[in-house]
């Protein structure tokens, strides 16, 4: 069921968005060559406890997960692009890292992701990260009353295809509110003018993600981590936004942090 939020409820969602944004900004700043993925998870867990927030991941067990996730943040490295289950791994020079984090504050959820390189970057890694970020900007710009879900999907696809990337539509954006995943689904490719009409009060997590040379995934033996079938690397950018009559509000904005 698609739910619309009142202006007062959108205001109540701001603390969750701010907490998720601040957590990701802190973790990105602290993540270096040599950082262990389990330490990132522990740090995120400490921040959740300190804020009186709740994890959206630790007990999460959808049909595509082999078991409850058991951690509080997704850490996807290199050829992993989504749902990366933290494990005992020390980051190496040049690793492409995606941190995807969702939490609940006072009963409201926010969800966001960021990709970056630790140490010496490859040009192709910086390029795919920048493409996902521009695709996210285009998606947010299209998230206005009077447009449709397809307009958001088409905006993402125009940027991705324009840069030569293929798009997988198995996983994409989604509604956010009292729970992490709700209706509507927002594919990262679609036709403008199609789909559910966008209305003020709709809150969405928009999340372009791409792989360098494929759009095919497989599930790692850990039962969660999604990797490219050809070993190429991936990037993922995500924000939780609220659609309003005055334009979209980026609830997980990190630009001032």
């Amino acid at each position: 069921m698609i739910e619309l939020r009142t202006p007062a409820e959108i205001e109540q969602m701001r603390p969750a968005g701010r907490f998720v944004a601040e957590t990701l900004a802190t973790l990105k700043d602290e993540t270096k060559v040599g950082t262990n993925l389990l330490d990132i998870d522990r740090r995120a867990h400490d921040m959740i406890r300190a804020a009186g927030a709740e994890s959206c991941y630790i007990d999460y067990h959808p049909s595509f997960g082999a078991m409850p996730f058991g951690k509080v943040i997704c850490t996807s490295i290199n050829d992993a692009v989504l749902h990366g289950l933290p494990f005992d791994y020390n980051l190496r020079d040049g690793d492409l890292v995606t941190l995807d984090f969702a939490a609940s504050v006072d009963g409201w959820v926010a969800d966001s992701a960021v990709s970056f390189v630790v140490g010496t970057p490859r040009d192709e890694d910086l390029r795919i990260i920048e493409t996902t970020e521009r695709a996210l900007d285009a998606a947010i710009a299209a998230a206005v009353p009077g447009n449709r879900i397809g307009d958001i999907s088409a905006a993402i696809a125009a940027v991705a295809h324009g840069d030569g990337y293929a798009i997988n539509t198995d996983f994409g954006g989604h509604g956010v509110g009292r729970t992490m995943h709700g209706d509507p689904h927002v594919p990262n490719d679609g036709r403008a003018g199609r789909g559910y009409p966008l209305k003020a009060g709709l809150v969405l997590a928009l999340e372009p993600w791409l792989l360098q040379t494929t759009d095919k995934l497989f599930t790692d033996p850990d039962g969660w981590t999604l990797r490219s079938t050809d070993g190429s690397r991936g990037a993922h950018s995500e924000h939780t936004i609220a659609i309003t009559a005055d334009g979209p509000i980026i609830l997980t904005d990190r630009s001032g942090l």
Side-chain angles (χ1 to χ4, degrees):
M1 181 177 69
I2 297 174
E3 298 182 272
L4 300 179
R5 304 300 175 186
T6 66
E9 287 176 323
I10 291 172
E11 287 300 309
Q12 291 167 15
M13 297 184 76
R14 285 186 184 272
R18 185 166 55 251
F19 171 68
V20 167
E22 290 173 348
T23 299
L24 280 179
T26 298
L27 293 174
K28 179 183 177 183
D29 184 62
E30 293 177 354
T31 299
K32 312 290 183 185
V33 174
T35 300
N36 191 285
L37 301 186
L38 294 177
D39 288 336
I40 296 174
D41 183 72
R42 279 190 284 268
R43 180 74 165 111
H45 210 154
D46 288 344
M47 295 178 75
I48 288 170
R49 284 192 291 263
E54 295 182 10
S55 170
C56 293
Y57 290 166
I58 197 161
D59 295 321
Y60 186 53
H61 190 188
S63 59
F64 56 80
M67 75 290 284
F69 191 72
K71 304 296 182 182
V72 300
I73 191 167
C74 295
T75 56
S76 300
I77 310 302
N78 297 331
D79 64 324
V81 69
L82 296 173
H83 308 162
L85 187 65
F87 66 104
D88 186 10
Y89 174 79
N90 294 320
L91 290 170
R92 301 170 183 171
D93 184 50
D95 277 344
L96 197 169
V97 180
T98 297
L99 302 180
D100 188 355
F101 182 66
S104 174
V105 176
D106 297 327
W108 295 104
V109 171
D111 189 3
S112 187
V114 61
S115 291
F116 56 96
V117 177
V118 294
T120 308
R122 305 179 185 181
D123 289 343
E124 59 267 32
D125 290 346
L126 297 179
R127 180 174 181 267
I128 196 171
I129 292 169
E130 192 266 344
T131 298
T132 64
E133 291 172 346
R134 282 194 294 109
L136 180 55
D137 289 342
I140 294 169
V144 295
N147 276 355
R148 292 177 176 267
I149 291 293
D151 293 298
I152 295 175
S153 302
I156 293 170
V159 174
H161 288 317
D163 284 1
Y165 296 107
I167 297 174
N168 177 299
T169 56
D170 292 342
F171 297 92
H174 49 88
V176 179
R178 293 293 190 181
T179 61
M180 178 171 57
H181 288 137
D183 294 328
H185 174 63
V186 187
N188 287 328
D189 196 355
R191 294 178 63 183
R194 300 293 183 91
Y196 179 79
L198 304 180
K199 302 174 183 177
L202 185 62
V203 180
L204 301 171
L206 304 179
E207 48 180 318
W209 61 272
L210 299 168
L211 297 163
Q212 287 170 339
T213 56
T214 186
D215 61 356
K216 301 296 190 293
L217 298 168
F218 75 93
T219 303
D220 190 87
D222 67 14
W224 273 99
T225 304
L226 294 176
R227 299 183 182 276
S228 66
T229 55
D230 66 357
S232 63
R233 289 145 81 108
H236 177 194
S237 296
E238 178 181 15
H239 274 311
T240 295
I241 64 113
I243 297 174
T244 78
D246 297 323
I249 298 171
I250 305 174
L251 295 172
T252 51
D253 185 19
R254 296 185 301 274
S255 61
L257 299 177

